[in-house]
Amino acid sequence: MTTVDVPSLVAQAREGRPRAVARLISLVEGASPQLREVMAALAPLTGGAYVVGLTGSPGVGKSTSTSALVSAYRRAGKRVGVLAVDPSSPFSGGALLGDRVRMSDHASDPGVYIRSMATRGHLGGLAWSAPQAIRVLDAAGCDVILVETVGVGQSEVEIASQADTSVVLLAPGMGDGIQAAKAGILEIGDVYVVNKADRDGADATARELNHMLGLGESRGPDSWRPPIIKTVAARGQGIDEVVEALEKHRAWMDEHGVLAERRTARAAREIETIAITALRARLADLRGDARLDALAARVAAGELDPYAASDTLLATLTEA
């Protein structure tokens, strides 16, 4: 396998060269043997980007809203990275929807980097490698990273664990209020957007959403109250108000220490995921191993319970 000059690649990414950023994300997605080296090189360069997650049911206009937000942040002089997480093609395993086509207005802008990523069967609306890809864009100097997740309903709430601020999009006439309550995404939004607000029922959707957010509410005087904003993303209407709400939420998080807490929790989950993945790989290597077979034989014979056998196996792995 061809090795990559990681320090040179990282330096080029810092200069904003899109090919270098693309190569680094490809190393992440492909679980390259050099992934550890890449992450070690990126670690001191991260922490500056503001990560915004956009989630919602299919058809609410996530890609159009993302594109409009990119335009708004670019007008403010911000460098923007976009991760558009698509369902996996059952044939190629690659991204299926190709959100970059819908964001073609930004294709020639050197201040915007757009990448479609495939979930590759991973539930939760995100690709398993999304946290590392976010790190790449952060280290590459993006001021804002927009993560648009796949519309997969109840498992889509994972975006809240990866973003600094989560935006939940709904649209009138789609039964989104009830569906959102079922999916649990009403619990994870920091900003709510009723898109396609030029359609009949937009005001009713906003009222229903406001009512649902108020049910069982026990917020203190300093707690964040998620705003509800009506937009027509296809015409850019209401997008400046969304950006203003995002900036207010970021300021509130800074003031109350919430941003640091969220990022620490995100790092903890990332560490846990990496550790579990490594453990699974080592367990897979033990299939057919004499130690595992011996423990299995004792469990089958009733000499040992499976929990004690598991403890013994784990102890063997951690001592190795």
Side-chain angles (χ1 to χ4, degrees), residues 158-179:
E158 186 178 320
I159 184 60
S161 69
Q162 297 299 337
D164 296 324
T165 298
S166 297
V167 179
V168 175
L169 286 98
L170 303 97
M174 298 181 68
D176 277 305
I178 297 172
Q179 189 58 39

Side-chain angles (χ1 to χ4, degrees), residues 25 28 39 83 117 129-138 145:
I25 293 180
V28 166
M39 289 297 112
L83 287 181
M117 297 182 71
S129 52
Q132 288 77 37
I134 289 171
R135 286 179 177 275
V136 171
L137 293 176
D138 188 355
I145 300 171

Side-chain angles (χ1 to χ4, degrees), residues 118-225:
T119 57
R120 300 182 192 274
H122 180 73
L123 294 177
L126 290 177
W128 73 271
S129 52
Q132 288 77 37
I134 289 171
R135 286 179 177 275
V136 171
L137 293 176
D138 188 355
C142 290
D143 300 299
V144 179
I145 300 171
L146 303 176
V147 184
E148 178 198 330
T149 74
V150 104
V152 294
Q154 295 189 15
S155 55
E156 199 165 15
V157 295
E158 186 178 320
I159 184 60
S161 69
Q162 297 299 337
D164 296 324
T165 298
S166 297
V167 179
V168 175
L169 286 98
L170 303 97
M174 298 181 68
D176 277 305
I178 297 172
Q179 189 58 39
K182 287 181 180 178
I185 59 176
L186 286 182
E187 300 172 8
I188 60 110
D190 300 304
V191 176
Y192 291 89
V193 173
V194 179
N195 190 34
K196 305 182 181 181
D198 53 343
R199 294 183 177 180
D200 291 340
D203 290 340
T205 298
R207 284 196 301 270
E208 181 185 9
L209 182 57
N210 186 58
H211 174 68
M212 285 185 158
L213 288 173
L215 290 176
E217 187 175 17
S218 58
R219 294 185 177 92
D222 294 330
S223 298
W224 174 255
R225 166 73 184 182

Side-chain angles (χ1 to χ4, degrees), residues 54 61-75 80-82 84 99-107 109 112 114 146-148 169 195 233-236 239 243:
L54 292 97
K62 290 192 295 294
S63 294
T64 306
S65 298
T66 300
S67 181
L69 283 172
V70 171
S71 296
Y73 278 118
R74 289 299 291 143
R75 287 195 295 271
V80 184
V82 178
D99 291 273
R100 284 173 290 185
V101 175
R102 281 170 279 174
M103 299 181 202
S104 57
D105 292 345
H106 309 291
D109 187 344
V112 179
I114 301 171
L146 303 176
V147 184
E148 178 198 330
L169 286 98
N195 190 34
R235 297 203 292 263
I239 297 301
V243 172

Side-chain angles (χ1 to χ4, degrees), residues 50-51 163-165 190 224 246-262:
Y50 176 42
V51 183
D164 296 324
T165 298
D190 300 304
W224 174 255
L246 292 173
E247 292 305 313
K248 284 182 179 178
H249 184 243
R250 185 178 187 177
W252 175 84
M253 288 191 295
D254 277 331
E255 180 183 352
H256 293 85
V258 175
L259 185 58
E261 289 177 3
R262 288 190 175 189

